Amino acid sequence: MDGLKYRLIIFDWDGTLSDSAAQIVSSMQRAVAALDLPPRADDDFRQMIGLSFEDGLGQVYPDHNTAALIRLIQGYRRQWLAQMGEEGEPPLFAGALPALQTLASAGHTLAIATGKSRVGLQRSLVHHRDLGQLMAATRTADETANKPHPLMLEELLAHFEVPASAALMVGDTEFDLAMAAAVGMDAVGVTCGVHPPERLLAAGARALLPDVAALPGWLTAG
């Protein structure tokens, strides 16, 4: 790995590697309807993607009590699992897998830091087995701390004994970029996910890319 600026590259999952936003929003709307909670716009649910369920729902329903939010979370999980049975696991973004294979072949260590649960991420990695095999480590919000707290990144840096200056975070939300900024790590925003370019730039994105497929070229050019 001599000569690599970024020895470790850490990826978000939903909206970065997985084109899952539409299914997440659909599942949330089904849960809201099933629980007879006040309706919310699709974009409200899109904007919580990347946070933990608790934190995201607290933003969407700030006036609801904890018990109501927990019910919604449980409803979401039931609806999501049912939808997975009907529609299958969300696809990866086009070109994501070849890009990761290129990065791994070049000597980069690859990892995931996601707001998903361990159960949810494991299900996704089993389905996308070729991608899962490229990941040297993964961290989920229910095992560490919720984004934008940087604990996931701190743990990955410690695990690989890599300084923040030799690592790169890749994500589609300001929460991903805020984690990186908190530990002094460079971050790249991808615009294929849920947050618009201006939010990614304001959160400190070193560059904006249309998707992960463009990352190897950006690294080579840099």
Side-chain angles (χ1 to χ4, degrees), residues 116-130:
K116 293 175 75 69
S117 68
R118 172 56 59 185
V119 170
L121 178 62
Q122 189 60 29
R123 184 172 57 245
S124 296
L125 293 180
V126 167
H127 181 81
H128 298 294
R129 186 173 292 104
D130 289 345

Side-chain angles (χ1 to χ4, degrees), residues 15 93 171-172 189-198 200 208-212:
F93 283 105
D172 69 306
V190 290
T191 58
C192 54
V194 297
H195 283 177
E198 56 269 22
L200 300 176
L208 294 180
L209 302 177
D211 49 36
V212 167

